Amino acid sequence: MMRNEYSILPFTFKRLPHRKMLMVNQSGEFIFVSSNDFNDLLNNDLSAGSPTYFELKGKHFLADTDLDIAQEMVATQLRSRKSFLRHFSSLHMIVVTARCNFICDYCHASSAALEQQRVDMNWKVAKKTVDLIFSSPSPVLKIEFQGGEPLLNWPIIKEIFHYGTFLNRFAKRQLEFVICTNLTLLTEEMIDFIKEHKIAISTSLDGPKLIQDLHRKTREGYSGYDVFHSNLQRLRERIGHDGASALLTITKTNLSKLQEVIDHYVELGFDGVFLRALNPYGFARQNMEQLGYSVEAFVSEYKNILQYLIELNLQGIPFAEYYTTLLLQRIFTPFSTGFVDLQSPSGAAISGVIYDYNGEVYPTDEARMLARTGDKHFRMGHVLRNNYEEVFGGSLVKELVKKSCIEVLPGCASCVYQAYCGVDPIRNYVETKDIVGHRPSSDFCKKNTMILDHLFQLIDENDPDVIDVFWSWITRRPLEEIRHDKFSRNSP
Amino acid sequence: MINIEKIQNRQPFITETEAGVFLVKLKKEFYEQEAVMQASYKFTNTCFIKIDAMEEGYVGIWFKAKLELHVDPELLLCEFCNEVLDQQVRLDLEKRYGTIRDSIYQFAFAPIKDRIEDLDG
Ligand code: SF4
């Protein structure tokens, strides 16, 4: 029998139930084929006229007369996927104080009592931090104020803002500021400043009052939720509804009540949520018994809530799940999402970096929390003692990059989800004392595998309602618009 | 419940060498060392694994399930055999791609100037 002449382009694959295969190529394009077609493809027996042949060719899994063009197409898409590398060190988180008026069960490793002002960032450290930030080559610079509770050191936030804005008159970067705050200390003067300078606000919301107050406790014993709620309204009245976004931390307490949590988010007028599993860092690690849950439990609730969110959207309530959206963007588009946990090499240090109040620099907040518990393995340098090259070009950053390329990591190298997944070297280190980590026992790997398995099952089922909701999340457009466009495309 | 008899009767490529220790014997003619290593790596969470040479032309992979995990050896070792096969398919494919993967990466990460020259011929 004469064999067909075609070249196979690089791809990874996974066997699915019902004799189906999922194939993903280097640029992240995917296709489902039957195992018969898969075998024919490998044996060069795939008929050149078959629909599968055309689809495989169109999605760059094989090439016949056009190998050079196909390679260039895949390379161009791969280049877009890796475009975050051109924004080297763009996210700069500054811990302006380690003090906090809260003692949350899952993060108080890094929070100090209100009277301990020695853990506030001073002007000398702050100025050097901003100088270091402006040494970054990135055209986009995002400065995020964190804590503790950053509003406790409000004067330094203003100083950093003014100095950064001054330097940017010459540096001409796209400069953005975000304050991550529990909102409870917000004054009118702060709101004026935030409004005048268009500073974004990121806050925390774990659910309705009872849930929010359970693990997010104030040091003085009052209900943090009540103050949060009234200040959120006050802030929105002045800066508009979209000025504040919220982050959800999922503990054992709210995991089984996620529907109630989502309803509360909707009630408060948020248009999405990030379903973030609790990570094993800092004190959260020691409190795992009380706060933690298995990956299986998390993914089971994730599936339920995803279904619930799809239904909400279909009922006309636009509300997105952001982790799913990031994964779907990676699955359906060739664009870089800029989310540090889903990057290869890892975004730790090369995309985002955190400056502690005392001037120490760490690749991620988790690395900083690890240092707070005594392990300074990931300390990149100090703003008063090291220059940009020493902090970002040192052996630690090189090691982080070298050992976090998913394409060559044991287990990931042959994984079908490689193009969509990422690497968390800090978490690997926490779990195995090795940056490379151990995929077969990694919860990060298990969670991403289970979530991606589920998403690909939904994509394969191809329910038009579900796919339309997914596209409305990816493109941030109303569902009606997506449907209208589809209808117009399909009409004669 | 583990049914050793069933394993021995139905899966002749799997033998129990001593209580709780199972051997999978593979022909080197069909499976390369890399495929065996990569497939074995995936099972290191559930089993203790030893890989060793056997009689001429064979490699042996010994498995001892980690006690706390209560895995069914039959299912696990059948999955292992499929995994080695898939890993070998990946290696065979790698050989067929030849230098295609490298040229894609080179092109993707070449400075813009080189790419424009490439496109202009
Ligand atoms: S972490 Fe796991 S799911 Fe992600 S690419 Fe690696 S092996 Fe695949």
Side-chain angles (χ1 to χ4, degrees):
Chain A
M1 182 176 167
M2 216 185 83
R3 298 187 131 208
N4 291 312
E5 288 303 315
Y6 53 77
S7 303
I8 297 179
L9 296 170
F11 67 85
T12 51
F13 64 88
K14 176 175 185 152
R15 288 176 198 281
L16 303 178
H18 314 299
R19 299 185 50 75
K20 246 190 194 181
M21 308 289 290
L22 168 64
M23 297 165 61
V24 179
N25 74 5
Q26 262 185 306
S27 61
E29 282 189 278
F30 68 90
I31 183 171
F32 297 100
V33 296
S34 70
S35 46
N36 285 346
D37 281 345
F38 183 77
N39 292 338
D40 285 349
L41 170 75
L42 299 195
N43 296 327
N44 270 59
D45 283 341
L46 199 63
S47 157
S50 71
T52 309
Y53 185 96
F54 280 116
E55 212 186 336
L56 285 165
K57 186 176 167 183
K59 290 188 169 179
H60 309 115
F61 286 86
L62 66 81
D64 38 36
T65 52
D66 53 351
L67 181 59
D68 285 350
I69 298 170
Q71 286 184 72
E72 281 171 23
M73 295 289 283
V74 175
T76 305
Q77 287 173 349
L78 182 62
R79 195 178 171 91
S80 306
R81 278 187 173 265
K82 300 282 182 188
S83 66
F84 68 90
L85 292 169
R86 292 201 290 276
H87 289 191
F88 187 91
S89 61
S90 55
L91 171 64
H92 299 264
M93 294 165 277
I94 305 180
V95 177
V96 292
T97 178
R99 289 187 293 145
C100 191
N101 57 335
F102 277 61
I103 31 167
C104 302
D105 293 335
Y106 39 71
C107 85
H108 59 245
S110 56
S111 97
L114 292 173
E115 59 282 2
Q116 287 186 33
Q117 287 177 348
R118 59 177 182 79
V119 295
D120 283 2
M121 183 176 272
N122 61 35
W123 170 237
K124 194 173 161 196
V125 171
K127 181 177 180 298
K128 278 286 178 193
T129 301
V130 180
D131 288 338
L132 201 72
I133 292 172
F134 275 86
S135 305
S136 158
S138 175
V140 179
L141 293 176
K142 187 187 226 180
I143 297 180
E144 209 172 272
F145 297 106
Q146 295 203 357
E149 168 49 48
L151 298 187
L152 282 166
N153 195 3
W154 177 245
I156 216 77
I157 292 182
K158 288 199 295 183
E159 299 276 15
I160 290 174
F161 174 85
H162 288 307
Y163 184 52
T165 309
F166 167 73
L167 291 186
N168 203 39
R169 277 160 54 186
F170 312 100
K172 304 217 179 308
R173 312 291 176 84
Q174 185 189 317
L175 183 61
E176 294 164 21
F177 291 90
V178 182
I179 303 176
C180 303
T181 167
N182 59 39
L183 290 183
T184 53
L185 302 173
L186 205 62
T187 64
E188 281 306 308
E189 184 239 324
M190 290 172 185
I191 297 178
D192 288 343
F193 191 86
I194 288 163
K195 180 178 160 67
E196 183 186 347
H197 300 296
K198 299 189 173 59
I199 297 174
I201 296 293
S202 170
T203 188
S204 302
L205 177 62
D206 293 353
K209 183 175 159 97
L210 273 181
I211 297 178
Q212 172 93 336
D213 283 343
L214 190 68
H215 295 302
R216 302 185 57 79
K217 300 172 190 125
T218 58
R219 284 184 186 272
E220 287 160 344
Y222 61 86
S223 161
Y225 178 87
D226 290 341
V227 188
F228 158 85
H229 188 264
S230 70
N231 282 353
L232 179 68
Q233 307 308 333
R234 223 156 43 95
L235 183 72
R236 281 175 162 171
E237 276 161 22
R238 299 284 307 284
I239 67 169
H241 210 80
D242 299 334
S245 59
L247 263 182
L248 164 67
T249 301
I250 301 179
T251 59
K252 203 186 252 178
T253 315
N254 56 5
L255 181 65
S256 55
K257 302 186 178 80
L258 283 180
Q259 197 165 316
E260 206 184 316
V261 173
I262 301 292
D263 289 345
H264 196 62
Y265 265 72
V266 174
E267 205 179 300
L268 290 185
F270 291 105
D271 56 8
V273 71
F274 198 121
L275 294 179
R276 211 165 45 131
L278 196 65
N279 285 331
Y281 304 115
F283 270 61
R285 194 167 192 217
Q286 292 165 27
N287 292 344
M288 271 302 173
E289 191 72 6
Q290 182 203 352
L291 305 170
Y293 38 82
S294 66
V295 175
E296 288 80 359
F298 174 80
V299 176
S300 156
E301 291 303 328
Y302 165 86
K303 288 181 189 173
N304 291 339
I305 218 66
L306 189 62
Q307 186 54 40
Y308 180 64
L309 291 180
I310 291 168
E311 280 158 20
L312 275 189
N313 280 269
L314 292 172
Q315 285 161 21
I317 301 168
F319 194 90
E321 200 288 298
Y322 298 135
Y323 193 64
T324 310
T325 307
L326 284 166
L327 289 171
L328 292 171
Q329 272 169 349
R330 294 175 72 87
I331 293 169
F332 284 113
T333 79
F335 305 119
S336 170
T337 47
F339 179 63
V340 290
D341 284 5
L342 294 177
Q343 282 180 4
S344 164
S346 157
I350 65 167
S351 291
V353 72
I354 188 156
Y355 305 85
D356 211 351
Y357 68 90
N358 57 6
E360 291 184 332
V361 189
Y362 294 95
T364 63
D365 195 32
E366 291 75 20
R368 180 182 71 95
M369 283 173 90
L370 198 63
R372 205 51 66 80
T373 53
D375 185 344
K376 294 205 171 184
H377 183 90
F378 293 105
R379 186 179 173 278
M380 292 162 66
H382 195 285
V383 295
L384 299 180
R385 290 189 279 282
N386 302 105
N387 61 28
Y388 184 84
E389 284 69 30
E390 287 164 345
V391 173
F392 289 92
S395 55
L396 175 69
V397 176
K398 285 186 183 140
E399 192 195 6
L400 278 172
V401 172
K402 211 161 66 182
K403 294 187 174 171
S404 69
C405 292
I406 210 165
E407 293 79 359
V408 293
L409 282 185
C412 300
S414 58
C415 176
V416 72
Y417 297 137
Q418 189 197 97
Y420 315 125
C421 196
V423 186
D424 188 344
I426 318 295
R427 184 166 180 165
N428 287 342
Y429 177 85
V430 168
E431 288 173 349
T432 66
K433 283 282 166 209
D434 173 17
I435 288 179
V436 170
H438 181 243
R439 242 62 57 212
S441 59
S442 150
D443 278 354
F444 174 89
C445 174
K446 194 195 272 184
K447 184 191 86 179
N448 280 351
T449 305
M450 291 174 83
I451 289 180
L452 284 161
D453 280 348
H454 184 61
L455 292 181
F456 272 101
Q457 190 189 325
L458 293 176
I459 292 167
D460 189 27
E461 284 167 7
N462 201 18
D463 177 334
D465 281 345
V466 174
I467 302 294
D468 287 348
V469 171
F470 283 174
W471 272 108
S472 78
W473 291 357
I474 295 171
T475 56
R476 293 166 194 262
R477 291 167 64 210
L479 187 59
E480 306 77 63
E481 257 181 58
I482 301 284
R483 288 179 154 168
H484 179 262
D485 285 1
K486 200 165 79 174
F487 180 74
S488 317
R489 270 198 311 276
N490 294 340
S491 322
Chain B
M1 183 67 193
I2 301 168
N3 185 343
I4 303 302
E5 218 167 275
K6 188 172 123 200
I7 296 174
Q8 282 165 347
N9 291 341
R10 288 184 30 205
Q11 316 292 356
F13 49 91
I14 301 167
T15 35
E16 188 178 29
T17 56
E18 57 185 275
V21 179
F22 296 88
L23 166 66
V24 175
K25 207 169 132 184
L26 296 172
K27 255 194 168 166
K28 288 185 188 169
E29 190 187 337
F30 301 123
Y31 300 103
E32 289 170 55
Q33 183 182 335
E34 200 181 329
V36 174
M37 298 291 284
Q38 289 199 10
S40 303
Y41 176 76
K42 291 203 166 181
F43 290 78
T44 50
N45 194 37
T46 37
C47 297
F48 299 107
I49 297 175
K50 179 175 178 266
I51 304 172
D52 215 341
M54 296 192 71
E55 73 255 28
E56 186 63 26
Y58 283 92
V59 62
I61 305 103
W62 282 264
F63 295 84
K64 188 174 163 60
K66 292 184 181 172
L67 274 182
E68 69 278 13
L69 292 170
H70 308 292
V71 288
D72 173 351
E74 179 179 18
L75 198 65
L76 193 81
L77 298 183
C78 288
E79 269 175 24
F80 171 77
C81 291
N82 275 357
E83 185 60 37
V84 194
L85 192 67
D86 280 353
Q87 291 294 346
Q88 187 57 50
V89 170
R90 288 184 182 105
L91 289 178
D92 292 345
L93 277 166
E94 287 280 343
K95 285 174 208 144
R96 285 177 61 185
Y97 307 145
T99 54
I100 293 179
R101 185 194 295 274
D102 298 342
S103 13
I104 289 174
Y105 269 91
Q106 257 167 28
F107 194 78
F109 290 105
I112 294 286
K113 189 173 136 291
D114 295 358
R115 296 190 61 213
I116 292 168
E117 279 166 11
D118 273 0
L119 291 170
D120 288 347

PDB file of all heavy atoms in Angstrom, chain A residues 457-472:
ATOM      1  N   GLN A 457     -13.278  18.056  28.430  1.00  0.00           N
ATOM      2  CA  GLN A 457     -14.502  17.250  28.278  1.00  0.00           C
ATOM      3  C   GLN A 457     -15.656  18.159  27.832  1.00  0.00           C
ATOM      4  O   GLN A 457     -16.404  17.819  26.906  1.00  0.00           O
ATOM      5  CB  GLN A 457     -14.825  16.580  29.612  1.00  0.00           C
ATOM      6  CG  GLN A 457     -15.925  15.544  29.486  1.00  0.00           C
ATOM      7  CD  GLN A 457     -16.384  15.058  30.846  1.00  0.00           C
ATOM      8  OE1 GLN A 457     -15.590  14.948  31.778  1.00  0.00           O
ATOM      9  NE2 GLN A 457     -17.667  14.768  30.962  1.00  0.00           N
ATOM     10  N   LEU A 458     -15.754  19.336  28.463  1.00  0.00           N
ATOM     11  CA  LEU A 458     -16.822  20.278  28.077  1.00  0.00           C
ATOM     12  C   LEU A 458     -16.622  20.761  26.635  1.00  0.00           C
ATOM     13  O   LEU A 458     -17.584  20.883  25.865  1.00  0.00           O
ATOM     14  CB  LEU A 458     -16.843  21.487  29.022  1.00  0.00           C
ATOM     15  CG  LEU A 458     -17.241  21.211  30.469  1.00  0.00           C
ATOM     16  CD1 LEU A 458     -17.121  22.473  31.312  1.00  0.00           C
ATOM     17  CD2 LEU A 458     -18.689  20.692  30.543  1.00  0.00           C
ATOM     18  N   ILE A 459     -15.371  21.010  26.272  1.00  0.00           N
ATOM     19  CA  ILE A 459     -15.092  21.487  24.909  1.00  0.00           C
ATOM     20  C   ILE A 459     -15.459  20.392  23.909  1.00  0.00           C
ATOM     21  O   ILE A 459     -16.061  20.652  22.865  1.00  0.00           O
ATOM     22  CB  ILE A 459     -13.607  21.898  24.780  1.00  0.00           C
ATOM     23  CG1 ILE A 459     -13.333  23.140  25.631  1.00  0.00           C
ATOM     24  CG2 ILE A 459     -13.219  22.156  23.324  1.00  0.00           C
ATOM     25  CD1 ILE A 459     -11.869  23.468  25.841  1.00  0.00           C
ATOM     26  N   ASP A 460     -15.132  19.150  24.260  1.00  0.00           N
ATOM     27  CA  ASP A 460     -15.441  18.033  23.357  1.00  0.00           C
ATOM     28  C   ASP A 460     -16.960  17.832  23.239  1.00  0.00           C
ATOM     29  O   ASP A 460     -17.479  17.542  22.156  1.00  0.00           O
ATOM     30  CB  ASP A 460     -14.758  16.758  23.889  1.00  0.00           C
ATOM     31  CG  ASP A 460     -14.849  15.610  22.898  1.00  0.00           C
ATOM     32  OD1 ASP A 460     -14.941  15.894  21.680  1.00  0.00           O
ATOM     33  OD2 ASP A 460     -14.813  14.441  23.328  1.00  0.00           O
ATOM     34  N   GLU A 461     -17.683  18.026  24.343  1.00  0.00           N
ATOM     35  CA  GLU A 461     -19.151  17.879  24.291  1.00  0.00           C
ATOM     36  C   GLU A 461     -19.758  18.954  23.388  1.00  0.00           C
ATOM     37  O   GLU A 461     -20.818  18.767  22.808  1.00  0.00           O
ATOM     38  CB  GLU A 461     -19.749  17.985  25.702  1.00  0.00           C
ATOM     39  CG  GLU A 461     -19.537  16.717  26.526  1.00  0.00           C
ATOM     40  CD  GLU A 461     -19.844  16.938  28.002  1.00  0.00           C
ATOM     41  OE1 GLU A 461     -20.345  18.016  28.382  1.00  0.00           O
ATOM     42  OE2 GLU A 461     -19.561  16.018  28.794  1.00  0.00           O
ATOM     43  N   ASN A 462     -19.090  20.112  23.317  1.00  0.00           N
ATOM     44  CA  ASN A 462     -19.437  21.163  22.356  1.00  0.00           C
ATOM     45  C   ASN A 462     -20.876  21.682  22.476  1.00  0.00           C
ATOM     46  O   ASN A 462     -21.527  21.954  21.465  1.00  0.00           O
ATOM     47  CB  ASN A 462     -19.176  20.625  20.934  1.00  0.00           C
ATOM     48  CG  ASN A 462     -19.004  21.748  19.944  1.00  0.00           C
ATOM     49  OD1 ASN A 462     -18.756  22.892  20.337  1.00  0.00           O
ATOM     50  ND2 ASN A 462     -19.163  21.446  18.667  1.00  0.00           N
ATOM     51  N   ASP A 463     -21.371  21.808  23.700  1.00  0.00           N
ATOM     52  CA  ASP A 463     -22.693  22.397  23.905  1.00  0.00           C
ATOM     53  C   ASP A 463     -22.589  23.895  23.542  1.00  0.00           C
ATOM     54  O   ASP A 463     -21.800  24.624  24.164  1.00  0.00           O
ATOM     55  CB  ASP A 463     -23.064  22.225  25.389  1.00  0.00           C
ATOM     56  CG  ASP A 463     -24.395  22.861  25.751  1.00  0.00           C
ATOM     57  OD1 ASP A 463     -24.796  23.815  25.055  1.00  0.00           O
ATOM     58  OD2 ASP A 463     -25.012  22.412  26.735  1.00  0.00           O
ATOM     59  N   PRO A 464     -23.375  24.351  22.549  1.00  0.00           N
ATOM     60  CA  PRO A 464     -23.214  25.742  22.091  1.00  0.00           C
ATOM     61  C   PRO A 464     -23.378  26.762  23.218  1.00  0.00           C
ATOM     62  O   PRO A 464     -22.678  27.781  23.234  1.00  0.00           O
ATOM     63  CB  PRO A 464     -24.329  25.916  21.054  1.00  0.00           C
ATOM     64  CG  PRO A 464     -24.855  24.573  20.771  1.00  0.00           C
ATOM     65  CD  PRO A 464     -24.427  23.635  21.840  1.00  0.00           C
ATOM     66  N   ASP A 465     -24.288  26.491  24.174  1.00  0.00           N
ATOM     67  CA  ASP A 465     -24.482  27.434  25.282  1.00  0.00           C
ATOM     68  C   ASP A 465     -23.204  27.580  26.102  1.00  0.00           C
ATOM     69  O   ASP A 465     -22.775  28.691  26.433  1.00  0.00           O
ATOM     70  CB  ASP A 465     -25.602  26.945  26.215  1.00  0.00           C
ATOM     71  CG  ASP A 465     -26.971  27.244  25.627  1.00  0.00           C
ATOM     72  OD1 ASP A 465     -27.038  28.059  24.686  1.00  0.00           O
ATOM     73  OD2 ASP A 465     -27.954  26.645  26.100  1.00  0.00           O
ATOM     74  N   VAL A 466     -22.610  26.435  26.429  1.00  0.00           N
ATOM     75  CA  VAL A 466     -21.392  26.455  27.253  1.00  0.00           C
ATOM     76  C   VAL A 466     -20.266  27.170  26.509  1.00  0.00           C
ATOM     77  O   VAL A 466     -19.575  28.040  27.059  1.00  0.00           O
ATOM     78  CB  VAL A 466     -20.973  25.007  27.626  1.00  0.00           C
ATOM     79  CG1 VAL A 466     -19.635  24.988  28.357  1.00  0.00           C
ATOM     80  CG2 VAL A 466     -22.056  24.343  28.461  1.00  0.00           C
ATOM     81  N   ILE A 467     -20.105  26.827  25.237  1.00  0.00           N
ATOM     82  CA  ILE A 467     -19.002  27.421  24.449  1.00  0.00           C
ATOM     83  C   ILE A 467     -19.217  28.936  24.316  1.00  0.00           C
ATOM     84  O   ILE A 467     -18.262  29.713  24.403  1.00  0.00           O
ATOM     85  CB  ILE A 467     -18.887  26.741  23.061  1.00  0.00           C
ATOM     86  CG1 ILE A 467     -18.661  25.225  23.232  1.00  0.00           C
ATOM     87  CG2 ILE A 467     -17.787  27.370  22.212  1.00  0.00           C
ATOM     88  CD1 ILE A 467     -17.343  24.813  23.878  1.00  0.00           C
ATOM     89  N   ASP A 468     -20.482  29.368  24.130  1.00  0.00           N
ATOM     90  CA  ASP A 468     -20.755  30.811  24.033  1.00  0.00           C
ATOM     91  C   ASP A 468     -20.380  31.529  25.332  1.00  0.00           C
ATOM     92  O   ASP A 468     -19.797  32.614  25.310  1.00  0.00           O
ATOM     93  CB  ASP A 468     -22.240  31.067  23.732  1.00  0.00           C
ATOM     94  CG  ASP A 468     -22.592  30.703  22.296  1.00  0.00           C
ATOM     95  OD1 ASP A 468     -21.652  30.484  21.505  1.00  0.00           O
ATOM     96  OD2 ASP A 468     -23.799  30.634  21.978  1.00  0.00           O
ATOM     97  N   VAL A 469     -20.737  30.908  26.463  1.00  0.00           N
ATOM     98  CA  VAL A 469     -20.372  31.527  27.755  1.00  0.00           C
ATOM     99  C   VAL A 469     -18.847  31.611  27.867  1.00  0.00           C
ATOM    100  O   VAL A 469     -18.290  32.645  28.252  1.00  0.00           O
ATOM    101  CB  VAL A 469     -20.960  30.733  28.949  1.00  0.00           C
ATOM    102  CG1 VAL A 469     -20.396  31.243  30.269  1.00  0.00           C
ATOM    103  CG2 VAL A 469     -22.477  30.820  28.954  1.00  0.00           C
ATOM    104  N   PHE A 470     -18.155  30.530  27.492  1.00  0.00           N
ATOM    105  CA  PHE A 470     -16.684  30.542  27.542  1.00  0.00           C
ATOM    106  C   PHE A 470     -16.123  31.694  26.703  1.00  0.00           C
ATOM    107  O   PHE A 470     -15.238  32.415  27.126  1.00  0.00           O
ATOM    108  CB  PHE A 470     -16.116  29.212  27.040  1.00  0.00           C
ATOM    109  CG  PHE A 470     -16.219  28.076  28.039  1.00  0.00           C
ATOM    110  CD1 PHE A 470     -15.864  26.774  27.690  1.00  0.00           C
ATOM    111  CD2 PHE A 470     -16.659  28.305  29.340  1.00  0.00           C
ATOM    112  CE1 PHE A 470     -15.941  25.735  28.608  1.00  0.00           C
ATOM    113  CE2 PHE A 470     -16.752  27.264  30.264  1.00  0.00           C
ATOM    114  CZ  PHE A 470     -16.393  25.978  29.892  1.00  0.00           C
ATOM    115  N   TRP A 471     -16.669  31.870  25.483  1.00  0.00           N
ATOM    116  CA  TRP A 471     -16.153  32.936  24.617  1.00  0.00           C
ATOM    117  C   TRP A 471     -16.462  34.323  25.194  1.00  0.00           C
ATOM    118  O   TRP A 471     -15.680  35.253  25.043  1.00  0.00           O
ATOM    119  CB  TRP A 471     -16.709  32.813  23.190  1.00  0.00           C
ATOM    120  CG  TRP A 471     -15.823  31.904  22.385  1.00  0.00           C
ATOM    121  CD1 TRP A 471     -16.114  30.653  21.970  1.00  0.00           C
ATOM    122  CD2 TRP A 471     -14.484  32.181  21.937  1.00  0.00           C
ATOM    123  NE1 TRP A 471     -15.039  30.112  21.297  1.00  0.00           N
ATOM    124  CE2 TRP A 471     -14.030  31.029  21.261  1.00  0.00           C
ATOM    125  CE3 TRP A 471     -13.619  33.270  22.049  1.00  0.00           C
ATOM    126  CZ2 TRP A 471     -12.750  30.942  20.695  1.00  0.00           C
ATOM    127  CZ3 TRP A 471     -12.346  33.187  21.492  1.00  0.00           C
ATOM    128  CH2 TRP A 471     -11.927  32.041  20.823  1.00  0.00           C
ATOM    129  N   SER A 472     -17.610  34.426  25.874  1.00  0.00           N
ATOM    130  CA  SER A 472     -17.912  35.739  26.454  1.00  0.00           C
ATOM    131  C   SER A 472     -16.911  36.039  27.579  1.00  0.00           C
ATOM    132  O   SER A 472     -16.540  37.179  27.802  1.00  0.00           O
ATOM    133  CB  SER A 472     -19.359  35.823  26.945  1.00  0.00           C
ATOM    134  OG  SER A 472     -19.508  35.164  28.169  1.00  0.00           O
TER     135      SER A 472
END
